[in-house]
Amino acid sequence: MKMITINASIKRPDPELVRQLGEITPSDYGHKLNFQFITASKMKPLFPIETPFAGPAVTVRIPPNDVLSTCKAMDYVQPGDIVVIDASEEDRYACWGEVTTRIAMEKGAAAAIINGAVTDTIAIRDLGFKVYSHSVSPLTTKFYGLGGDINVPVSISGCVIQPGDVIVGSNDGLLVVPKDEIATYLEIGKEAKELDEQNLQDLKVLGADVFLRRLDPLWDSMLEKDE
């Protein structure tokens, strides 16, 4: 008997809060946080992501060479969701391609995060659907019915993603915002974005030499500690 878990209903956060998260890039958060990131070296966008985005995660965990649970998960996708598939960094069997992309688009999904291989990359690029993947392969998964789980916790690049957590994405990578901590992350993100914008403005006004002098007290303090 196969062990299969399906949670048909998940708690999605307030769409307005999700929209606000999507206005702040993972790189902005990177000035303040050390965890909850999935870097582009692990999960690469198939094509350049011009604007940041955010959406709640619908999660899927699949065997390496079976796509049946991926297709079943599409039944639970709502507009604005992000499909997150944990295929355990499988790099041979592609579990995502043009057909699944078109289904996701018709369901209103905002993006797909594939911890495994994808195929049909040119077609996906031409469709303009945001996809991140661990690898690319011409060899595809099959409909074996080996099992899988839908809307359960998954792990990608050491980052645990719960169903309903908000994925924030940009060309530089991904940030996973726990659904119960959105207000805290928004506060951190807005502060980081304002600081980054202020630094860029200061650099423009002051010039590089004067801007760098602001770091001298920190440098001097570091040297004093080493004495």
Side-chain angles (χ1 to χ4, degrees), residues 1 9 14 20 24 29-30 35 37 53 80 88-90 114-115 138 144 168 181 184-185 193 197 199 204 219 227:
M1 182 176 179
S9 178
D14 183 341
Q20 292 181 40
I24 307 169
Y29 282 100
F35 305 105
F37 294 99
F53 63 91
S88 302
E89 297 188 352
E90 171 62 41
I114 315 299
N115 190 27
Y144 292 134
V168 182
E181 300 179 39
T184 300
Y185 274 73
K193 184 177 181 180
E197 290 173 348
N199 281 334
K204 181 179 179 180
W219 179 259
E227 290 179 355

Side-chain angles (χ1 to χ4, degrees), residues 4-10 12 58-59 76 149-153 163:
I4 300 172
T5 299
I6 297 178
N7 293 303
S9 178
I10 64 173
R12 290 174 173 83
V58 169
T59 64
Y76 307 104
D149 302 302
I150 298 171
N151 283 328
V152 299

Side-chain angles (χ1 to χ4, degrees), residues 21-132:
L21 284 170
E23 294 180 342
I24 307 169
T25 70
S27 299
D28 288 324
Y29 282 100
H31 295 299
K32 293 288 186 178
L33 301 176
N34 293 304
F35 305 105
Q36 295 299 112
F37 294 99
I38 302 173
T39 66
S41 64
K42 293 290 185 180
M43 299 294 297
K44 300 177 179 63
L46 288 188
F47 55 86
I49 307 297
E50 300 294 340
T51 57
F53 63 91
V58 169
T59 64
V60 195
R61 184 167 56 203
I62 65 171
N65 60 343
D66 185 10
V67 75
L68 186 58
S69 293
T70 295
C71 293
K72 182 60 181 175
M74 296 300 171
D75 284 336
Y76 307 104
V77 172
Q78 296 183 11
D81 285 348
I82 295 179
V83 181
V84 179
I85 301 176
D86 182 8
S88 302
E89 297 188 352
E90 171 62 41
D91 57 9
R92 297 169 299 165
Y93 297 98
C95 63
W96 191 271
E98 183 179 1
V99 170
T100 44
T101 295
R102 289 184 178 275
I103 293 172
M105 292 177 70
E106 185 170 327
K107 297 286 287 187
I113 314 301
I114 315 299
N115 190 27
V118 301
T119 194
D120 301 329
T121 56
I122 299 301
I124 295 172
R125 182 201 65 188
D126 291 345
L127 287 169
F129 186 72
K130 299 178 179 69
V131 174
Y132 294 70

